[in-house]
């Protein structure tokens, strides 16, 4: 590693590449995030010892988790129908409950009446369907006594307060990551969370954990929520405005459909399918992926409101996927202000102009300096779109109202 870094420096080829090959990830553009644990039984956002529920009560009830309708295949098939190209699943969320058969704890799914190793079933279904599977692992753990400290009062969950316990917790994390790296087949992504709290690199033992992942799962990408640079950067709920910190590319925007990550019985604040499609297009317009989240119900089913929306995005992608998959950020100025109606993506000499909102007039003026358009047509249906190029402006006469993707074939440079 040191040798590689030194030779890169001497040869003047810049920083050595951090890790695994991100090509598939950059092409995939759209993935399914799944937040699931016994916390879904309460139908409120995940259990948190700082909130009202006593830890013991949560833990006793969690061991009665029995998701009888869980069917990994149907999840994976839904993701496929939605046009998603990878899945990231919470093997362990902040509540500390393991949705896999860890030998290091009894606070796990295989000790509940269901006895099923959910992660193993999901990994098998993904393998059968050719779907890359990523593993989310929270470095926060509201159950583990070495993280919280035994009898920790609410609010004292930061392990900094208990330095003596820290190496033991770091070991627990490392050994669980080892289990996840060896028992579930190929892992496409390690999606860590909670590791950017005010701890140090050494506290977490990240360098060792990363080195181990590289050895055991050389193709796995690691996200940026530790204190080391990752293979990709994560955005949460919002696409940063240009000028705001965004982390190095590639980027991934994770987004809830409702308000919460885990299942909520009361939340009805669902984003519409149109909104989700526009977020997918906006993310792609910035060269980023969208990791769209569902929180399955305690039964294991995905609620109908989520299913409907995923299928609607899938239908849109059937007609317009070419403008998303495998594209990079487009050349037509991306201005994320709310009054802007379009974003663009690009691939192989074609620019895709995504009109996200119905323009008031049927004429659209796009600033397109340096772009020489040969032909313009609707991606869906192929109807020609009349256009003029005047100086740096591209004028398009829209054939119909509504959102649409216009394919702009460019003249050879
Ligand atoms: C936030 C939430 C966490 C969730 C994560 C996903 O950090 O606190 O529960 O898993 O977002 O990005």
């Amino acid at each position: 590693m040191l040798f590689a870094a030194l030779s890169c420096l001497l040869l003047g080829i810049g920083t050595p590449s951090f890790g695994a090959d991100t090509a598939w990830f950059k092409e995939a553009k759209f993935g399914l995030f799944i937040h699931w644990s016994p916390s879904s039984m309460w139908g409120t956002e995940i259990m948190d010892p700082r909130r009202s529920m006593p830890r013991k009560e949560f833990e006793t009830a969690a061991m009665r988790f029995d998701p009888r309708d869980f069917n990994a295949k149907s999840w994976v098939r839904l993701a496929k129908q939605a046009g998603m190209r990878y899945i990231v699943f919470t093997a362990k969320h902040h509540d500390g409950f393991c949705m896999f058969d860890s030998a290091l704890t009894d606070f796990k799914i295989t000790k509940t009446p269901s006895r099923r190793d959910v992660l193993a079933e999901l990994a098998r279904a993904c393998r059968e369907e050719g779907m890359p599977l990523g593993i989310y692992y929270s470095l926060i753990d509201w159950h583990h006594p070495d993280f919280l400290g035994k009898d920790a009062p609410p609010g004292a969950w930061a392990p900094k307060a208990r330095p003596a316990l820290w190496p033991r917790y770091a070991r627990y994390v490392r050994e669980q990551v080892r289990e996840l790296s060896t028992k579930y087949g190929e892992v496409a992504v390690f999606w860590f969370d909670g590791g950017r709290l005010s701890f140090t690199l050494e506290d977490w033992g990240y360098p060792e954990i990363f080195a181990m992942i590289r050895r055991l799962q050389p193709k796995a990408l690691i996200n940026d929520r530790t204190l080391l640079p990752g293979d990709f950067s994560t955005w949460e709920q919002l696409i940063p405005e240009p000028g705001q910190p965004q982390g190095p590319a590639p980027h991934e925007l994770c987004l809830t459909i409702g308000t919460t990550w885990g299942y909520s019985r009361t939340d009805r604040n669902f984003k519409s399918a149109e909104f989700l499609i526009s977020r997918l297009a906006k993310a792609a317009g910035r060269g980023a992926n969208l990791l769209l989240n569902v929180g399955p119900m305690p039964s294991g089913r995905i609620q109908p409101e989520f299913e409907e929306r995923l299928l609607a995005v899938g239908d849109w992608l059937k007609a317009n996927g070419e403008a998303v998959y495998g594209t990079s950020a487009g050349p037509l100025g991306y201005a994320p202000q709310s009054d802007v109606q379009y974003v663009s993506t690009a691939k192989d000499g074609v620019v895709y102009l995504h009109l996200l909102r119905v323009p008031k007039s049927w004429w659209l003026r796009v600033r397109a300096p340096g772009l020489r358009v040969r032909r313009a047509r609707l991606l869906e249906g192929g109807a020609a779109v009349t256009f003029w190029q005047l100086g740096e402006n591209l004028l398009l006469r829209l054939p119909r109202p509504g959102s649409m993707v216009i394919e702009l074939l460019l003249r050879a440079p």
Side-chain angles (χ1 to χ4, degrees), residues 86-163:
Y86 62 106
I87 292 178
V88 178
F89 176 69
T90 49
K92 185 187 86 159
H93 200 225
H94 310 336
D95 60 21
F97 187 89
C98 295
M99 295 295 278
F100 65 105
D101 187 25
S102 173
L104 298 154
T105 181
D106 281 342
F107 197 48
K108 60 179 176 181
I109 182 80
T110 45
K111 284 279 182 190
T112 65
S114 96
R115 306 205 158 274
R116 296 163 70 179
D117 184 334
V118 164
L119 181 63
E121 290 185 34
L122 188 58
R124 191 174 324 119
C126 283
R127 230 171 3 255
E128 282 168 12
E129 299 283 333
M131 176 72 77
L133 176 64
I135 292 180
Y136 168 109
Y137 184 91
S138 175
L139 295 157
I140 294 169
D141 194 314
W142 291 325
H143 167 78
H144 201 287
D146 292 340
F147 183 87
L148 287 165
K150 250 202 191 103
D151 319 315
W157 57 280
K160 263 287 181 235
R162 311 243 172 184

Side-chain angles (χ1 to χ4, degrees), residues 38-44 47 53 57-59 61-62 263 265 298:
S39 296
S40 58
M41 292 194 287
W42 282 269
T44 57
M47 172 267 182
M53 184 184 297
E57 190 186 309
F58 170 80
E59 290 172 350
Y263 171 65
R265 230 188 332 246

Side-chain angles (χ1 to χ4, degrees), residues 106-306:
D106 281 342
F107 197 48
K108 60 179 176 181
I109 182 80
T110 45
K111 284 279 182 190
T112 65
S114 96
R115 306 205 158 274
R116 296 163 70 179
D117 184 334
V118 164
L119 181 63
E121 290 185 34
L122 188 58
R124 191 174 324 119
C126 283
R127 230 171 3 255
E128 282 168 12
E129 299 283 333
M131 176 72 77
L133 176 64
I135 292 180
Y136 168 109
Y137 184 91
S138 175
L139 295 157
I140 294 169
D141 194 314
W142 291 325
H143 167 78
H144 201 287
D146 292 340
F147 183 87
L148 287 165
K150 250 202 191 103
D151 319 315
W157 57 280
K160 263 287 181 235
R162 311 243 172 184
L165 301 176
W166 195 233
R168 293 211 314 232
Y169 180 65
R171 200 176 318 127
Y172 178 72
V173 168
R174 193 188 60 228
E175 292 313 308
Q176 286 209 319
V177 172
R178 189 192 305 281
E179 294 182 316
L180 295 169
S181 302
T182 49
K183 288 169 58 180
Y184 297 94
E186 194 162 291
V187 179
V189 174
F190 272 97
W191 214 104
F192 291 111
D193 198 17
R196 283 199 291 218
L197 301 171
S198 57
F199 312 123
T200 68
L201 210 59
E202 292 71 32
D203 282 341
W204 289 112
Y206 288 143
E208 292 79 12
I209 293 176
F210 273 37
M212 183 181 74
I213 293 175
R214 293 288 183 235
R215 200 171 62 249
L216 298 172
Q217 292 280 346
K219 289 198 202 147
L221 306 183
I222 306 175
N223 73 345
D224 65 338
R225 295 200 177 185
T226 65
L227 295 170
L228 289 176
D231 294 308
F232 64 96
S233 304
T234 56
W235 300 335
E236 187 166 320
Q237 302 286 28
L238 294 172
I239 301 179
E241 307 274 323
Q244 286 181 334
Q246 17 219 296
H251 300 113
E252 180 194 67
L253 166 70
C254 57
L255 183 72
T256 52
I257 296 180
T259 312
T260 61
W261 295 99
Y263 171 65
S264 165
R265 230 188 332 246
T266 49
D267 184 18
R268 309 293 303 164
N269 198 12
F270 305 123
K271 298 171 181 85
S272 66
E274 294 69 38
F275 181 92
L276 298 173
I277 290 166
S278 77
R279 272 299 171 277
L280 175 61
K282 279 192 177 181
R286 292 281 286 276
N289 291 4
L290 175 66
L291 185 65
L292 186 59
N293 180 73
V294 297
M297 300 189 285
S299 65
R301 290 242 170 94
I302 291 173
Q303 67 191 84
E305 294 87 352
F306 289 176

